[in-house]
């Protein structure tokens, strides 16, 4: 039963690390000691899966089969790891630009991955009316957690760390916006590939609900 003990210890470390990150504790990474990259990557995967679960209405509207829905949620988890990698690269670049030096990306990435812990509550965006507001709160929470975790890793003062963190986050948002609205429509193509259906998004639903009704 050694594997069970290891799995139990891993889950304890995973939840403790996430809880510390949610509380903006700079020592959150210490909870993951002994598991290497497994805990930070696990936190990002759960975060992405939770955010996609919050978009389950979109999957339902697009009549996505259960198997493809599970595949889409899993892909969202892995997508969060990729986004964290991009954000870590941007943190590294901005730190070199602002401070003149930076830690290796391999030292920055665990902090960025754990900084995705607030998105564990991403399933709450499913709530009617309050969903978009919750999504904004989670974004701000992510920036605060990321700032707290990166400050000791960057080895700089909190003001400079905030500047690097906010800049990297804004750049990540910009890249995401371009990927979504570019003529290539990468996100829509990926959604169709995973679900096998046309991408009707939550924004489409909100736009349809807010548009005036034309009398017949």
């Amino acid at each position: 039963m050694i594997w069970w003990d290891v799995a139990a210890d891993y889950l304890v470390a995973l939840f403790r690390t996430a809880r510390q990150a949610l509380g903006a504790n700079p020592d959150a990474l210490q909870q993951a000691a002994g598991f290497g990259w497994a805990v930070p990557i696990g936190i990002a995967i759960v975060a992405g899966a939770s955010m996609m679960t919050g978009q389950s209405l979109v999957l339902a509207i697009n009549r996505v089969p259960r198997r493809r829905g599970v595949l889409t949620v899993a892909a969202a988890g892995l997508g969060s790891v990729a986004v964290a990698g991009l954000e870590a690269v941007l943190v590294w670049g901005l730190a070199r630009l602002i401070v003149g030096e930076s830690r290796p990306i391999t030292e920055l990435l665990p902090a960025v991955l754990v900084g995705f812990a607030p998105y564990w509550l991403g399933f709450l965006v499913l709530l009617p009316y309050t969903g978009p507001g919750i999504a904004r709160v989670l974004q701000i929470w992510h920036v605060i957690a990321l700032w707290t975790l990166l400050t000791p890793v960057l080895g700089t003062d909190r003001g400079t760390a905030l500047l690097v963190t906010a800049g990297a986050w804004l750049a990540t948002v910009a890249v995401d916006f371009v990927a979504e609205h570019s003529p290539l429509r990468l996100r829509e193509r990926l959604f169709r590939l995973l679900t096998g259906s046309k991408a009707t998004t939550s924004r489409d639903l909100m736009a349809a609900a807010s548009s005036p009704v034309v009398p017949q």
Side-chain angles (χ1 to χ4, degrees):
M1 298 295 290
I2 296 179
W3 65 271
W4 174 257
D5 294 335
V6 173
D9 290 342
Y10 171 76
L11 289 176
V12 169
L14 185 72
F15 280 92
R16 282 182 177 175
T17 303
R19 184 182 64 185
Q20 295 284 347
L22 287 170
N25 189 329
D27 298 326
L29 285 172
Q30 295 180 6
Q31 301 293 329
F35 290 95
W37 290 85
V39 169
I41 290 176
I43 286 178
I45 288 176
V46 174
S50 180
M51 288 296 294
M52 180 52 68
T53 300
Q55 298 292 330
S56 58
L57 178 60
V58 174
L59 299 179
I61 291 296
N62 285 278
R63 298 181 179 179
V64 178
R66 181 175 300 177
R67 183 183 303 176
R68 283 184 175 268
V70 172
L71 176 62
T72 303
V73 171
L78 296 176
S80 285
V81 177
V83 172
L86 170 63
E87 202 162 22
V89 170
L90 292 169
V91 168
W92 176 83
L94 284 174
R96 288 188 63 86
L97 180 64
I98 296 173
V99 183
E101 60 180 356
S102 180
R103 298 288 185 179
I105 294 177
T106 53
E107 294 184 18
L108 298 172
L109 184 54
V112 177
L113 288 165
V114 174
F116 273 67
Y119 291 122
W120 276 33
L121 303 176
F123 64 91
L124 294 176
V125 302
L126 181 63
L127 296 175
Y129 305 111
T130 59
I134 291 174
R136 297 293 181 271
V137 170
L138 293 180
Q139 288 179 329
I140 296 172
W141 202 345
H142 163 65
V143 174
I144 294 174
L146 190 60
W147 172 37
T148 303
L149 291 166
L150 282 175
T151 298
V153 178
L154 290 171
T156 185
D157 62 273
R158 291 178 61 83
T160 302
L162 177 59
L163 183 60
V164 172
T165 300
W169 175 74
L170 287 173
T172 304
V173 171
V175 171
D176 179 73
F177 180 86
V178 171
E180 181 177 358
H181 294 86
S182 69
L184 294 177
R185 292 189 174 274
L186 297 178
R187 180 178 294 181
E188 182 177 334
R189 289 175 183 271
L190 180 59
F191 185 89
R192 288 183 178 181
L193 177 65
L194 292 171
T195 64
S197 63
K198 183 179 178 180
T200 299
T201 67
S202 55
R203 292 180 182 178
D204 297 332
L205 300 177
M206 292 178 64
S210 62
S211 61
V213 177
V214 179
Q216 301 295 326

